[in-house]
Amino acid sequence: MENLLQEPHPLETVLISRRFRLENSASLATFLANEGFAGFRKALTMTPDEIIAEVKLSSLRGRGGAGFPAGMKWSFVDRKSPKPKYVVVNADESEPGTCKDRVILQYDPFRLIEGVLIAARAIGSERGWIYIRGEYRYLIEHMNAVIAQAYAAGWLGKDIQGSGMNFDFATQSGAGAYECGEESALLESLEGKRGNPRLKPPFPAQVGAFQCPTVLNNVETYSAAPDVILKGGQYYADLGTPKNGGTRLLCISGHVNRPGVYEVRLGMNMLQAVNALAGGVWKGRKLKAIVPGGSSCPVLKAEECDIPMDYDSLAKAGSMLGSGGMVVLDETTDMVKLLSRIMKFYAHESCGWCIPCREGTTWLKKILARLDDGVGSVSDIDTVDQLAVNMFGHTFCPLGDAAAMPTMAIVRKFRHEFEAKLQSASQAFVPAPGTRSLPIVK
Amino acid sequence: MPDLVQLTINGKAVSAPKGTLVIEAAKQVGIEIPAFCYYEGYSLQAACRMCLVEVEKMPKLMPGCTLPVAEGMVVHTESPKVVDSRKSMLEFLLTNHPLDCPVCDKGGECELQDMTFRYGLGESRFTDIKQHVDEKQWSPLVYFDAPRCILCYRCVRVCEEGMGVQALGIGKRGVATEIIPNAGDHLECDECGNCVDICPVGALTSGTYRYKSRPWEMNYAGTICTHCSDGCKTTLSVRNGAIIRANNRDRSGINGEFLCAKGRFGYDFVHSPERLQTPLIRKDGKLEPASWSEALSLVAARLSELKSRGAKFGVLGSTHTTNEENYYLQKFARTGLGTSNIDHQRTGDVPALLDALSGHENALATVGDLYTAKSVLVISSDLSQQHPLLAFQLRANYRHNRAAVYTVTPGPVRERDYAARSVVVAPGAELDLLPALADELKKHGNLVIVFGPAIKGGAVHSLVAFGDSLGIPVKYICLVSDSNSRGALDMGLLPDLRPGYQAEAQPGLALPEILAAPDLDALWVVGSNPFETAPLASRDCFVVVQDLFLTETAQAADVVLPSASAYEKSGTVTNTAGEVQRLKPGPKVMGAKSDLEILGLIAKEMGLDLGIWSSDKVFEEIRRTVRGYNVALPVIATGGASPTTPVNGHVPASRPDLIQDSGDTLFTSGTLGRYSNVLKSVMEAPGTLYKP
């Protein structure tokens, strides 16, 4: 594939992305010539406990969105279980605003395979899958070719590089459901079933794919492992802030001059990222708000954005670092329309398993679509907030929360926009002869 | 005792075994945690979110249906947070619900109505357009109205886990999510209707009951199904003298939530237009309607006359009539007519089993034992077709207790899906295979052996000897075919055995010999159709038939007396495991009389003293005189099943060569099935054995 990436920005810290700009970066030859599999080779000399200790030390946290410490996750797998253990890669990158996993798969796919092999070595697994969202059709074909090359070169299969370690790896296509990015729904789908989430506990580390202990991480999380092992957990941890180790890929989109994927140390200032990396808000406009980590994260108003980007700082600001999908909104953004669009997405993607998410997202979608057209009453604005409150924390899986959180944030922080829309619509509204106008109830 | 965990629910101290779910622990102390998707005995869903409760030190509300109790846990089920959350769940649920309660079959017995009444908001804020999908018909018996569905997935689970059928699945997603038949647009299943019954709302409705009534406009009679010999409780819903529904919604009886297609839908024979409603007398070679008094006096006069000149009688009983009727009939034959030429269509060798078990204690299994046994061996029966309740019990035992199930059958059976071993052997070779299983069977601690009619005579003795050789407690069920096949044997409808399997001093003729006797003077057939398969040899024979329908036998009769079905009378029946249960009359069909009343009236007309023909009185006599039937009356009177205590001693062999499997499937039921349009209407009918 043609390499479309620009040179790294001086403020970037290239670690995961350090091979992206090489010629033929996705080829095995380039990979091997540039420290490829060095982390895995080192891992082969370590015991599983040492690998897990190193990952724990690195304070590498899950890059999919929830930010769960990876080393902890790996350590939960019962390695003594007589059942086979599995390594599953979550490449169901579906959170709106997020486009980092596909860059890794496209430009440095062997890095992922190396990370998976390290995880496999750590938990004693001999089989794994990468679950790729159906919309990434081209990447599924690409990964199939990459895996075939790895097999041919002895990096997958039996007795990998004479180490005695066996590992089989294959792709599995999703079928277009956001819900299948949730780990247990992903496992259901991987097994060929309907992608509904599972009851937890048990967690995948105990009962995962095909009822066996399973480690399930995001593409970026596995892809960080080779450097954690090669350069050491301490080195990786020191790149970030305490408990927030390393670098991560930031996908900046929206109203900026230079949208793109940037690799930054955890803890970089959010405004700095927007202004320096992404070239600032476009068209000379002012910043209105930022969605920090994918559409499910509560938006931050411009004045709330002067914070370091790590899991804990964002949590303190009432939002989340999420999947790294940062959406920048300029002053002209219609927040009612934005929320209406977000809710259209969640109503479409709700799996339908539990009541509050299934009915709540659709109900919200209907009200918000109306409000966006200026049809409704002020009490509808309160209803929107209350419905989100009623959904939040009450659903079977986090999808309901993902829909409720941005709703509460936007409707509370930008309530005046909802009211203004109703107001102006009522003034502009001229009922056709014989039709009844909808009253605006104060 | 398992480890007990101490917790507090709403300030009440509760102790519950480790692993108990909070919803169950609350139930123990009388606290209701409402839920739709939670259903005892089926897999956990946590989908409806109605059971969210507040647990101290937990950040979020927790579903009580999946949360196990923990030491020191403090649970609040009525805190403001919980109450609000329930209100919001019901508000969410009703957003796309059509609220068509006034025309919904479920209105009045709907869990969504009850919950809304008890826990819901008074009003809804929902003002937008509801999601609508048109109603679908999935089979002649099952309709699905998606908008009413609350997606609790009970139907999917009862079908997959309970029945082992997997006819239902989930389709689409989000608010459009629907229950769908896995076959596409129709059901390919047992047509048991358990999905209809278990549905908490009016989403799944019964093809036979829909739009016929309101639940409060019916009378209910909890009685015993009159089809196969499993003895399921079925509650007849009667309106204006007609059965319009049968179900077991209260989960009483030995069958819990289970009923098969026959028990749930196969009652329509009762109101078949072909039911006999007036006696018929042959005049000039044709059967003509007659009054009851005319017919009864004719029968009494002819029988008295024949008896006085020492004529040769033959009496054939039924496998669907009550114990009282069977007892009275054999008493009539033996003491009233002075003949032992009495028999019925035998479908299992119970005498041989009792004889083989002579000296054994506690060796007859009940239907309940199939749920608790550590292992079960099924020989020569396609349980899911022939004994659906037993199959259901086995599946539940495997699902909950991981019981080891073994089947040795002449063809594939559904139990093979989960059986420890499922072996197909040539008919007749079943027992040869058992020694190979012995070592494995011994490991499980106890065993119930269920065997079909192919195992009879000496084979039953060999089977019991095999059971004895295992050195573990073994119990047995001898399968018989019809609702009171067992009762017919117990009550002595046999030429060589009197009630309670006591030897007859002067054995009479058995069924084929009666039919073949060229000098038979009178044949009395009660609820049976022997001429369907064999002709009557005697040319000059007075034939009296009591039946519901003008069967082949009734067509050849001199007098036909219309009798009442089991759903119209009281009395007791005994299931295949020897458990006695009581019938309760539901509807009344004009013109028909119970067989007991017919027998009693004829006896009275003949001047015979056979005792009062009330079922209670006759049952009293049975309890006094029939070995094993001195059962606890309160159990039976309150709708329970009481096991009969076995005869423990030698039982003479009784013509095993006459035993024949009825061959009925899930959708056939002898004569009754022929007159059930509903059972014939389903795509799966008539069904085949050993073809899962």
Side-chain angles (χ1 to χ4, degrees):
Chain A
M1 267 179 251
E2 194 193 349
N3 198 322
L4 299 172
L5 294 185
Q6 301 166 344
E7 280 309 297
H9 190 278
L11 283 172
E12 281 192 74
T13 307
V14 285
L15 194 66
I16 279 191
S17 60
R18 73 177 188 276
R19 280 188 288 264
F20 285 5
R21 284 133 182 122
L22 301 175
E23 201 168 331
N24 287 327
S25 68
S27 77
L28 182 56
T30 311
F31 181 70
L32 288 172
N34 293 277
E35 291 185 321
F37 289 123
F40 172 57
R41 281 192 192 283
K42 187 173 169 193
L44 282 175
T45 67
M46 298 161 71
T47 65
D49 285 326
E50 285 167 352
I51 297 173
I52 290 174
E54 209 62 36
V55 177
K56 276 186 179 167
L57 180 65
S58 74
S59 56
L60 168 64
R61 292 171 68 162
R63 302 295 194 229
F68 193 82
M72 296 269 279
K73 212 179 210 180
W74 295 11
S75 70
F76 291 155
V77 172
D78 177 11
R79 299 203 299 270
K80 291 193 194 76
S81 164
K83 291 179 175 179
K85 291 100 198 154
Y86 296 128
V87 177
V88 179
V89 183
N90 185 345
D92 190 81
E93 186 173 51
S94 313
E95 183 73 15
T98 316
C99 51
K100 61 191 178 56
D101 295 340
R102 76 168 192 208
V103 182
I104 299 175
L105 297 181
Q106 191 169 343
Y107 294 109
D108 196 0
F110 289 101
R111 165 181 287 278
L112 171 72
I113 291 180
E114 181 178 359
V116 167
L117 286 171
I118 291 169
R121 165 95 183 139
I123 64 159
S125 166
E126 298 201 337
R127 185 142 189 66
W129 294 269
I130 174 168
Y131 182 94
I132 306 177
R133 69 187 299 224
E135 292 88 334
Y136 282 173
R137 173 61 51 196
Y138 72 103
L139 281 179
I140 297 172
E141 286 152 16
H142 169 65
M143 282 311 291
N144 282 337
V146 164
I147 290 169
Q149 277 181 58
Y151 268 103
W155 290 102
L156 285 173
K158 295 258 173 284
D159 190 19
I160 294 170
Q161 303 295 317
S163 66
M165 177 177 163
N166 304 324
F167 192 73
D168 286 309
F169 193 57
T171 58
Q172 171 65 48
S173 167
Y178 170 74
E179 178 58 19
C180 290
E182 194 278 334
E183 58 180 4
S184 63
L186 184 151
L187 291 173
E188 286 285 292
S189 178
L190 179 77
E191 293 177 12
K193 301 178 195 151
R194 180 184 167 84
N196 281 341
R198 290 178 182 171
L199 196 61
K200 287 186 262 189
F203 291 93
Q206 290 111 41
V207 182
F210 306 98
Q211 305 290 306
C212 296
T214 301
V215 153
L216 208 174
N217 279 120
N218 177 257
V219 170
E220 190 186 346
T221 317
Y222 286 118
S223 299
D227 289 322
V228 168
I229 298 300
L230 187 63
K231 300 180 192 303
Q234 194 57 52
Y235 168 86
Y236 191 82
D238 291 343
L239 290 174
T241 56
K243 289 191 202 158
N244 292 267
T247 60
R248 75 168 304 173
L249 295 176
L250 198 58
C251 326
I252 307 182
S253 63
H255 304 154
V256 290
N257 287 315
R258 282 201 329 144
V261 178
Y262 301 91
E263 184 170 8
V264 299
R265 295 177 176 212
L266 280 176
M268 181 186 232
N269 183 283
M270 192 181 284
L271 287 178
Q272 193 182 21
V274 172
N275 292 328
L277 294 181
V281 179
W282 70 355
K283 299 180 185 170
R285 291 180 189 156
K286 280 202 263 191
L287 177 69
K288 183 180 208 168
I290 293 178
V291 179
S295 63
S296 57
C297 302
V299 294
L300 295 173
K301 291 163 85 170
E303 58 267 33
E304 298 169 315
C305 291
D306 190 9
I307 49 169
M309 283 189 293
D310 60 50
Y311 294 94
D312 300 326
S313 305
L314 270 141
K316 227 163 87 187
S319 188
M320 301 186 307
L321 189 55
S323 60
M326 182 195 280
V327 184
V328 178
L329 307 166
D330 76 18
E331 57 188 331
T332 67
T333 310
D334 180 341
M335 297 306 278
V336 184
K337 195 176 257 349
L338 174 80
L339 182 56
S340 173
R341 183 64 190 83
I342 289 178
M343 202 47 62
K344 194 177 161 193
F345 173 80
Y346 286 111
H348 179 64
E349 294 296 348
S350 168
C351 78
W353 180 255
C354 72
I355 292 169
C357 174
R358 176 177 77 232
E359 304 293 344
T361 51
T362 303
W363 188 357
L364 283 173
K365 178 187 88 169
K366 286 175 178 169
I367 300 179
L368 289 165
R370 267 198 292 118
L371 290 177
D372 185 33
D373 289 341
V375 180
S377 63
V378 175
S379 70
D380 281 332
I381 306 172
D382 300 321
T383 304
V384 168
D385 190 10
Q386 284 159 18
L387 292 182
V389 169
N390 290 345
M391 286 164 66
F392 185 70
H394 294 169
T395 53
F396 186 88
C397 84
L399 199 154
D401 293 349
M405 288 185 296
T407 307
M408 292 188 288
I410 291 174
V411 87
R412 286 173 194 176
K413 290 178 183 175
F414 300 94
R415 187 185 172 94
H416 56 280
E417 290 196 22
F418 289 77
E419 287 168 348
K421 205 150 201 174
L422 286 176
Q423 209 43 257
S424 65
S426 75
Q427 280 155 11
F429 184 65
V430 183
T435 57
R436 195 164 57 90
S437 72
L438 284 165
I440 292 188
V441 185
K442 288 277 166 78
Chain B
M1 269 305 277
D3 298 349
L4 284 180
V5 172
Q6 310 294 328
L7 68 158
T8 314
I9 305 179
N10 295 356
K12 282 190 191 176
V14 186
S15 70
K18 213 175 153 202
T20 308
L21 300 168
V22 168
I23 196 168
E24 288 293 339
K27 208 181 279 175
Q28 283 174 24
V29 288
I31 295 171
E32 182 192 58
I33 299 180
F36 291 109
C37 69
Y38 177 74
Y39 202 90
E40 211 184 324
Y42 292 92
S43 62
L44 303 177
Q45 311 287 290
C48 76
R49 316 309 282 175
M50 273 302 286
C51 68
L52 292 178
V53 292
E54 195 170 350
V55 181
E56 286 185 10
K57 294 185 187 137
M58 290 203 185
K60 296 201 289 188
L61 298 183
M62 301 297 289
C65 75
T66 55
L67 183 70
V69 294
E71 189 63 42
M73 187 182 253
V74 182
V75 181
H76 301 283
T77 73
E78 298 298 333
S79 68
K81 258 175 149 175
V82 175
V83 169
D84 279 356
S85 128
R86 272 178 206 154
K87 282 190 176 141
S88 69
M89 290 312 138
L90 285 162
E91 189 187 25
F92 281 135
L93 260 188
L94 294 178
T95 55
N96 286 305
H97 188 88
L99 297 169
D100 57 348
C101 308
V103 293
C104 176
D105 280 344
K106 204 73 178 188
E109 51 183 15
C110 170
E111 291 178 39
L112 182 57
Q113 276 186 339
D114 295 348
M115 293 267 202
T116 306
F117 186 76
R118 194 153 178 191
Y119 299 106
L121 279 164
E123 56 190 52
S124 171
R125 289 172 290 184
F126 187 81
T127 55
D128 294 83
I129 292 168
K130 285 174 189 271
Q131 179 95 1
H132 178 73
V133 189
D134 286 344
E135 190 181 42
K136 299 176 188 78
Q137 183 182 7
W138 285 346
S139 91
L141 301 176
V142 182
Y143 285 69
F144 178 61
D145 192 12
R148 289 178 186 160
C149 176
I150 60 168
L151 290 167
C152 65
Y153 316 109
R154 283 189 199 173
C155 52
V156 178
R157 285 174 286 160
V158 79
C159 190
E160 178 175 337
E161 299 168 20
M163 298 302 298
V165 169
Q166 302 191 340
L168 293 174
I170 308 167
K172 305 188 188 167
R173 72 182 189 200
V175 79
T177 307
E178 255 183 56
I179 304 298
I180 47 162
N182 287 336
D185 60 351
H186 65 284
L187 289 175
E188 285 175 15
C189 65
D190 288 358
E191 305 284 353
C192 66
N194 283 322
C195 54
V196 174
D197 219 3
I198 208 167
C199 180
V201 295
L204 286 161
T205 49
S206 146
T208 60
Y209 170 70
R210 59 205 309 268
Y211 302 127
K212 284 224 173 116
S213 180
R214 311 301 290 167
W216 56 85
E217 289 174 329
M218 302 186 286
N219 294 317
Y220 298 92
T223 191
I224 305 304
C225 173
T226 189
H227 293 284
C228 88
S229 61
D230 290 353
C232 291
K233 159 107 178 293
T234 178
T235 300
L236 306 175
S237 306
V238 181
R239 178 176 158 136
N240 295 339
I243 311 173
I244 54 172
R245 179 172 76 170
N247 64 14
N248 199 38
R249 196 69 207 100
D250 61 358
R251 290 194 264 171
S252 61
I254 56 175
N255 45 317
E257 67 267 28
F258 173 81
L259 272 181
C260 77
K262 287 193 269 191
R264 187 181 309 282
F265 301 112
Y267 56 77
D268 63 325
F269 70 88
V270 170
H271 304 295
S272 162
E274 294 178 68
R275 266 299 285 276
L276 294 171
Q277 290 184 288
T278 176
L280 304 170
I281 295 176
R282 190 167 296 280
K283 287 174 182 160
D284 303 327
K286 269 181 71 186
L287 285 171
E288 301 284 356
S291 71
W292 269 104
S293 59
E294 191 186 353
L296 290 174
S297 12
L298 173 65
V299 172
R302 284 299 307 273
L303 292 180
S304 296
E305 183 251 324
L306 288 167
K307 184 186 166 192
S308 67
R309 60 180 173 87
K312 190 171 201 170
F313 289 103
V315 177
L316 297 177
S318 165
T319 49
H320 291 281
T321 47
T322 63
N323 288 327
E324 292 75 6
E325 288 164 341
N326 292 343
Y327 180 85
Y328 210 82
L329 180 65
Q330 66 81 30
K331 191 173 174 188
F332 201 135
R334 289 193 161 103
T335 65
L337 301 177
T339 180
S340 297
N341 297 343
I342 180 164
D343 207 348
H344 71 286
Q345 180 55 58
R346 309 164 195 213
T347 55
D349 204 346
V350 178
L353 177 65
L354 295 180
D355 187 41
L357 290 178
S358 175
H360 290 63
E361 291 294 334
N362 210 8
L364 290 176
T366 62
V367 170
D369 286 333
L370 288 179
Y371 178 68
T372 51
K374 296 246 190 301
S375 62
V376 178
L377 169 62
V378 181
I379 304 174
S380 288
S381 179
D382 188 350
L383 284 192
S384 62
Q385 284 282 328
Q386 299 179 286
H387 297 278
L389 171 62
L390 306 191
F392 184 81
Q393 290 281 81
L394 277 193
R395 264 192 301 279
N397 193 1
Y398 171 74
R399 195 166 78 242
H400 297 152
N401 313 321
R402 290 284 170 242
V405 174
Y406 298 83
T407 65
V408 180
T409 50
V413 291
R414 190 182 292 161
E415 285 68 42
R416 73 176 175 187
D417 291 349
Y418 62 88
R421 259 167 219 281
S422 183
V423 192
V424 173
V425 295
E430 293 89 352
L431 299 189
D432 306 340
L433 188 103
L434 297 185
L437 287 176
D439 284 342
E440 215 172 317
L441 291 171
K442 278 178 201 166
K443 289 190 305 198
H444 300 297
N446 64 49
L447 174 68
V448 173
I449 299 180
V450 181
F451 60 95
I455 309 298
K456 53 191 176 186
V460 178
H461 287 84
S462 315
L463 182 63
V464 171
F466 169 75
D468 290 343
S469 75
L470 294 175
I472 53 170
V474 182
K475 291 185 178 185
Y476 300 85
I477 292 179
C478 172
L479 295 175
V480 290
S481 291
D482 299 330
S483 59
N484 207 24
S485 288
R486 174 66 182 260
L489 290 163
D490 289 355
M491 293 304 127
L493 290 189
L494 295 166
D496 41 12
L497 290 174
R498 285 172 160 264
Y501 302 96
Q502 302 203 13
E504 173 67 68
Q506 285 175 313
L509 299 178
L511 193 149
E513 286 91 49
I514 291 173
L515 295 181
D519 55 344
L520 194 73
D521 295 304
L523 177 67
W524 191 353
V525 182
V526 176
S528 176
N529 188 15
F531 298 175
E532 189 190 5
T533 46
L536 182 65
S538 172
R539 291 287 124 210
D540 186 25
C541 183
F542 176 63
V543 180
V544 182
V545 173
Q546 296 175 207
D547 209 308
L548 280 70
F549 301 101
L550 202 60
T551 60
E552 287 85 345
T553 308
Q555 283 166 29
D558 295 294
V559 181
V560 181
L561 303 169
S563 57
S565 75
Y567 291 151
E568 297 147 51
K569 59 196 176 191
S570 41
T572 63
V573 290
T574 309
N575 73 3
T576 192
E579 294 167 278
V580 184
Q581 299 182 92
R582 189 162 174 244
L583 301 181
K584 269 192 187 168
K588 253 197 124 45
V589 172
M590 205 194 286
K593 289 186 188 299
S594 81
D595 292 298
L596 185 60
E597 188 182 0
I598 298 171
L599 294 175
L601 289 171
I602 295 173
K604 184 169 161 53
E605 194 76 13
M606 289 174 71
L608 302 172
D609 182 19
L610 299 178
I612 300 172
W613 55 90
S614 108
S615 58
D616 288 351
K617 286 287 172 203
V618 179
F619 190 60
E620 262 308 311
E621 191 174 329
I622 292 172
R623 286 182 68 227
R624 271 203 325 274
T625 60
V626 180
R627 289 197 292 179
Y629 268 76
N630 191 14
V631 294
L633 272 186
V635 174
I636 294 184
T638 52
S642 183
T644 47
T645 40
V647 179
N648 203 343
H650 173 61
V651 174
S654 175
R655 299 292 303 272
D657 58 306
L658 300 182
I659 291 166
Q660 227 181 6
D661 194 340
S662 72
D664 278 327
T665 66
L666 268 180
F667 305 103
T668 64
S669 184
T671 303
L672 301 182
R674 283 160 62 183
Y675 293 93
S676 167
N677 286 330
V678 171
L679 289 181
K680 286 188 287 187
S681 73
V682 298
M683 190 183 78
E684 293 83 354
T688 2
L689 301 181
Y690 302 113
K691 288 246 161 47

